Amino acid sequence: MIKMNKRLIINFILAIALGVCALLLLAGTSSAVTSVPKPERDTTIYVYNGEEQVYKIAESEYYTVENNVRTNAGTQYVKISLVDKTNYVWADGTTDDITDYAFTIDKARYPMLGVKFERKTFVADGNKYSLKIEGELPEGITVSYSDNNLQSEPGVYNIFANFSGENENYYKIQAKTAQLVIRQPSVSGALDKDGKNTVTATSSIGIAPKWTLSISEKDYSKSPSLIQRLGDHEKLYNTYDIKFMNGDVPRQPDTEVELTIKLPDEIKGKDIRIINFKPTGEIEELEITKKKGTVTFKTDDLYDFAIIYDDTPVVLWILIAVIGGAIVLAGGAIVVMMIKARKKTANEEENKTVKKKK
């Protein structure tokens, strides 16, 4: 009985010894595995430049890096693998390859800062006009224009410049828009249908495409400032409110305009003056040119314009002409008489001298 107990004790001791050895062995094995920290991601922003670019991973003897070189725009995933998955583990205790590090090269943008596409204004003259870009396009880029980029009629046209190029590694160039404006060479308006009191406006830069010329009458017959300006035999023919209209909105000209008024028959051939009434109360007499039944003047303020004419009776002009002629004739007769008298006196003096010599 006692012997059996000794064997049990010995076996128990041996079992404990074996267990300790096993634990020691395991402890020795565990200490032989190296824990490797995962490399940090590359946060660089890569943009296509036509050359090879490398996703930056810290070098190490414990792992290898693949798929970290790229040229074209796009995304690929870098692969990082432990050199020895038996003796090395990642810091999180895993040994799997790292494959979630995205290597992205963004598309580049074409240098378009020097390329301009701007609004241009022309005056309708029968020719066709279009818009073109200004500046040098980047290599490989072409441009085309919308179908309405050739116009001759007055109007405002939106023209599109469309650019074509390589889109795999470059962002698409947005189309540029500019306005092609063709202005009216002149614009007319009238008070009546029979062609009288017709006014035509012209300008060196043309008239805006949608503008019209509005003409209406105003009564200044009792205006003290106007009455004071009337000379002898002068009368007010009419006062016109002349203005440009863009729809229902009055507009002032962008620059000096030339207005030509077709004169009615009753004042053709008479002396004419044009007076401009400004909103400030100022009255300005304008320099005019008369030609073929019209009167023309220039202004940069379109407000109220009065036509004043000389109404001196024809009989009075005839009388003045007759009197003037008579004065001229009388003056001529007096001059002739004076000349004759001088000649007579000279002859008498000459005869006296001759007699004395004798």
Side-chain angles (χ1 to χ4, degrees), residues 53-199:
Q53 300 187 71
V54 180
Y55 187 92
K56 299 179 182 64
I57 294 291
E59 295 183 359
S60 174
E61 59 180 322
Y62 299 110
Y63 54 76
T64 59
V65 180
E66 300 176 65
N67 208 32
N68 63 328
V69 179
R70 185 177 180 88
T71 300
N72 290 332
T75 299
Q76 66 189 40
Y77 289 90
V78 178
K79 181 180 178 182
I80 308 171
S81 307
L82 290 169
V83 174
D84 183 353
K85 294 183 180 181
T86 301
N87 296 305
Y88 304 146
V89 296
W90 297 118
D92 61 3
T94 64
T95 58
D96 295 338
D97 295 341
I98 299 173
T99 57
D100 62 344
Y101 285 16
F103 177 20
T104 300
I105 295 180
D106 196 7
K107 289 183 178 182
R109 298 184 184 277
Y110 282 107
M112 295 289 289
L113 290 178
V115 179
K116 296 181 179 180
F117 190 51
E118 299 177 329
R119 169 189 172 115
K120 300 237 179 247
T121 300
F122 305 92
V123 179
D125 59 1
N127 294 315
K128 291 187 175 181
Y129 292 96
S130 60
L131 297 183
K132 301 293 182 183
I133 62 166
E134 297 177 4
E136 186 175 352
L137 286 172
E139 185 177 355
I141 298 298
T142 58
V143 61
S144 61
Y145 302 94
S146 53
D147 294 339
N148 63 338
N149 189 31
L150 196 62
Q151 299 294 339
S152 60
E153 296 298 319
V156 179
Y157 305 91
N158 291 319
I159 310 300
F160 295 89
N162 303 292
F163 303 94
S164 299
E166 193 261 288
N167 295 323
E168 179 183 357
N169 293 302
Y170 290 90
Y171 284 107
K172 184 179 179 180
I173 302 173
Q174 295 297 314
K176 292 181 180 291
T177 307
Q179 286 187 331
L180 168 62
V181 181
I182 300 181
R183 300 168 72 93
Q184 305 176 80
S186 64
V187 60
S188 297
L191 281 175
D192 40 45
K193 296 180 180 179
D194 60 3
K196 294 180 180 179
N197 299 298
T198 298
V199 181

Side-chain angles (χ1 to χ4, degrees), residues 206-245:
I207 310 297
K210 294 183 179 180
W211 286 11
T212 58
L213 193 65
S214 170
I215 306 170
S216 58
E217 291 179 298
K218 280 197 173 180
D219 186 5
Y220 276 81
S221 59
K222 297 180 181 180
S223 169
S225 57
L226 176 61
I227 293 172
Q228 290 176 3
R229 283 185 168 260
L230 294 177
D232 294 339
H233 304 292
E234 281 193 328
K235 289 185 178 180
L236 170 67
Y237 173 72
N238 206 347
T239 305
Y240 305 94
D241 178 13
I242 302 176
K243 55 179 173 274
F244 287 123
M245 300 293 293

